[in-house]
Amino acid sequence: VLGLLVWTLIAGTEYFLYPAFGWVMFVAVFYWVLTLFFLIIYMTMTYTRIPQVPWTTVGLCFNASAFILYLIAAIVDAASVTKELDSHNYNSWAASSFFAFVVTSCYAGNTYLSFISWRSRTLQ
């Protein structure tokens, strides 16, 4: 839901005039779609039918990459928000920057939990 807020707040503006917001949109939409994909896989328990895939490693790599790219996107988003660019888009861009950092912290926490799960799986 928070990732959805990030890209809808930007998509409702003239973000295409500023390349930095294009990068933020790419990261937000890409990881929103992948997160929905993994949510469906876990909710339907499809992962139990494909035991050849190391799901703890996949989850760790996904969450770590999401954390790193979302952190970069959040910093780019925050650095690009200025009143001089376009004043009527300022509030949407500022809100998207805030939520990008919130999503980044969520992915950071999930990366930590995935790492603990991965480490306990490899120790067995």
Side-chain angles (χ1 to χ4, degrees), residues 19-101:
F21 292 115
W23 165 252
V24 177
M25 279 290 290
F26 168 75
V27 171
V29 172
F30 181 73
Y31 280 107
W32 183 76
V33 169
L34 280 180
T35 300
L36 277 181
F37 173 72
F38 281 118
L39 177 66
I40 291 168
I41 285 177
Y42 281 103
M43 297 266 307
T44 60
M45 301 207 37
T46 305
Y47 66 94
T48 59
R49 295 184 203 122
I50 313 170
Q52 301 86 358
V53 177
W55 290 104
T56 53
T57 305
V58 170
L60 176 63
C61 292
F62 168 73
N63 288 314
S65 68
F67 166 65
I68 291 168
L69 290 181
Y70 241 110
L71 180 63
I72 294 168
I75 292 170
V76 166
D77 194 1
S80 300
V81 176
T82 60
K83 281 199 177 238
E84 290 83 37
L85 289 178
D86 199 350
S87 61
H88 71 278
N89 293 327
Y90 176 78
N91 290 334
S92 293
W93 289 339
S96 73
S97 176
F98 170 77
F99 285 113
F101 280 106

Side-chain angles (χ1 to χ4, degrees), residues 63 67 103-113:
N63 288 314
F67 166 65
V103 172
T104 301
S105 65
C106 289
Y107 277 121
N110 212 4
T111 301
Y112 174 72
L113 295 174

Side-chain angles (χ1 to χ4, degrees), residues 56 60 112-124:
T56 53
L60 176 63
Y112 174 72
L113 295 174
S114 294
F115 176 73
I116 290 173
S117 175
W118 173 81
R119 189 175 62 186
S120 69
R121 179 73 78 150
T122 57
L123 292 177
Q124 292 177 352

